[in-house]
Amino acid sequence: MDLIKRVQDYYNWTLTLTDPRSKGWLLVETPWPTLCGIIIYLTSVYLGPKIMRNRKPFKLNNLLVVYNLAMAALNFYIFWQLLTASLRLNYSIFCEPCRQVWTPDEMQIVDAVWWYYFSKLLEFSDTLFFILRKKDNQLSFLHIYHHSTMFAFWWIGIKWVPSGSTAYPAIVNSFIHVLMYTYYGLAAIGPQMNKYLWWKRYLTIIQLIQFSGALILGFNGLRIDCEFPLWMQYTLCGYMVSFLVLFGRFYVNAYIDDHKQRQKEKHKEKLLANNNEETIKDKNVIVNGKKYE
């Protein structure tokens, strides 16, 4: 009971540090909507494949085209709102304090950060569509970790630090999501689009660059003693390290190891073809001047 009281007291103290500009906004006031969303998401991940086990996969191509292109449009809106306001405010990419001011440009950033947080709830649909289409191989630890934690961390962002240096990770990530959802929207149209989708591999490379850049900026903020919440800087650095490890492993498995495996298979096929040719030649015998096979 003493531990519970101390946790409650600590949480009540943190509430005195929240940003008043997002007070009362949808899903922001208490952690319960976010926690319930994550619990429902994780429960769906656990139960969904079991429910679908003996059912036929749904064909959702038309829905996927609409969903992915709509998400690309939403992320472009977020990207543009954050970028234009931060440029007008001359935000520094290296360190920008979160000032609790109510100017139109600052409120444009706060509003866009809320939409960015809300988009993480909408992105739970990515996993739902995998389950309904019985693409269980896509339900990796990376996928589930990424979706569940992003929703939680950006609730913290919109409630405590909805502007300042918070803007830049959202700017970069929302732009990458424009590319990503555009890719998946085009892929859902059908196999006739495959010749235009050669750039999937580069999406992962861009994401790795994003995480590396965010980690460098996070360490730099600690080095220069940036006027931004210290706990947020440490959280950012730790979170980016986890993404670098997980996405780096995914890249190695999906592209480097897979490429090596394909090369080995091609080499085996070539050797097998050569051996077959040699076998055919060996079977060609000449008897009394006549050739027999």
Side-chain angles (χ1 to χ4, degrees):
M1 293 298 295
D2 183 56
L3 176 62
I4 294 173
K5 186 178 184 306
R6 279 187 291 172
V7 170
Q8 183 65 43
D9 290 342
Y10 178 77
Y11 176 69
N12 290 335
W13 172 75
T14 63
L15 291 179
T16 65
L17 307 176
T18 58
D19 197 299
R21 293 172 295 176
S22 60
K23 183 176 176 60
W25 288 18
L26 181 65
L27 306 179
V28 175
E29 193 65 16
T30 73
W32 295 115
T34 302
L35 287 174
C36 288
I38 294 170
I39 290 169
I40 292 170
Y41 172 74
L42 294 176
T43 303
S44 301
V45 169
Y46 177 73
L47 294 178
K50 297 179 184 298
I51 294 171
M52 289 297 298
R53 182 176 298 156
N54 298 318
R55 290 174 169 82
K56 292 182 179 180
F58 287 86
K59 294 181 179 179
L60 304 173
N61 288 56
N62 292 335
L63 177 60
L64 288 173
V65 171
V66 173
Y67 166 75
N68 283 297
L69 295 182
M71 289 298 291
L74 174 60
N75 277 276
F76 182 79
Y77 169 79
I78 296 167
F79 162 76
W80 189 252
Q81 290 292 97
L82 290 170
L83 180 66
T84 54
S86 62
L87 288 175
R88 287 194 297 268
L89 290 166
N90 293 316
Y91 267 21
S92 168
I93 193 173
F94 300 106
C95 172
E96 188 63 42
C98 180
R99 300 182 181 88
Q100 295 180 1
V101 295
W102 301 78
T103 62
D105 285 333
E106 283 282 351
M107 290 308 298
Q108 180 175 317
I109 288 177
V110 176
D111 181 70
V113 169
W114 181 87
W115 276 106
Y116 183 75
Y117 155 70
F118 185 68
S119 74
K120 301 308 162 192
L121 175 62
L122 300 179
E123 286 175 14
F124 286 169
S125 301
D126 296 358
T127 308
L128 175 63
F129 293 142
F130 283 147
I131 293 171
L132 293 176
R133 295 162 65 213
K134 300 186 75 169
K135 302 283 187 179
D136 295 351
N137 60 312
Q138 301 286 349
L139 301 178
S140 63
F141 175 79
L142 168 59
H143 176 88
I144 297 165
Y145 171 77
H146 173 251
H147 279 69
S148 56
T149 56
M150 284 290 280
F151 188 46
F153 276 118
W154 281 97
W155 174 75
I156 294 172
I158 185 60
K159 189 163 182 67
W160 275 274
V161 280
S163 64
S165 288
T166 299
Y168 280 108
I171 289 173
V172 176
N173 192 250
S174 57
F175 177 72
I176 291 173
H177 276 68
V178 172
L179 301 178
M180 185 185 76
Y181 281 111
T182 300
Y183 173 90
Y184 287 119
L186 294 174
I189 293 173
Q192 65 271 27
M193 300 300 295
N194 288 347
K195 59 184 176 181
Y196 305 111
L197 301 176
W198 48 267
W199 40 282
K200 180 182 179 182
R201 174 178 185 172
Y202 300 100
L203 288 175
T204 306
I205 294 174
I206 292 171
Q207 286 176 310
L208 288 170
I209 293 171
Q210 169 199 194
F211 302 140
S212 301
L215 183 61
I216 291 169
L217 289 175
F219 280 130
N220 183 67
L222 294 172
R223 183 184 64 84
I224 65 176
D225 195 22
C226 177
E227 191 183 340
F228 196 77
L230 191 62
W231 62 269
M232 194 69 175
Q233 300 277 18
Y234 280 113
T235 301
L236 172 68
C237 291
Y239 197 41
M240 290 304 102
V241 168
S242 72
F243 274 153
L244 278 171
V245 171
L246 292 171
F247 272 87
R249 188 171 65 179
F250 166 78
Y251 182 84
V252 169
N253 292 339
Y255 299 109
I256 298 177
D257 289 347
D258 186 59
H259 175 72
K260 288 180 180 178
Q261 185 61 33
R262 286 200 305 268
Q263 291 296 105
K264 285 181 181 178
E265 289 174 0
K266 286 181 181 178
H267 183 63
K268 285 181 181 178
E269 289 174 2
K270 188 176 179 181
L271 287 176
L272 184 60
N274 290 339
N275 289 337
N276 287 339
E277 288 179 8
E278 291 297 325
T279 302
I280 291 171
K281 288 178 183 178
D282 290 342
K283 286 182 178 179
N284 294 334
V285 225
I286 298 177
V287 179
N288 295 330
K290 292 183 179 181
K291 184 177 180 181
Y292 296 90
E293 294 186 0

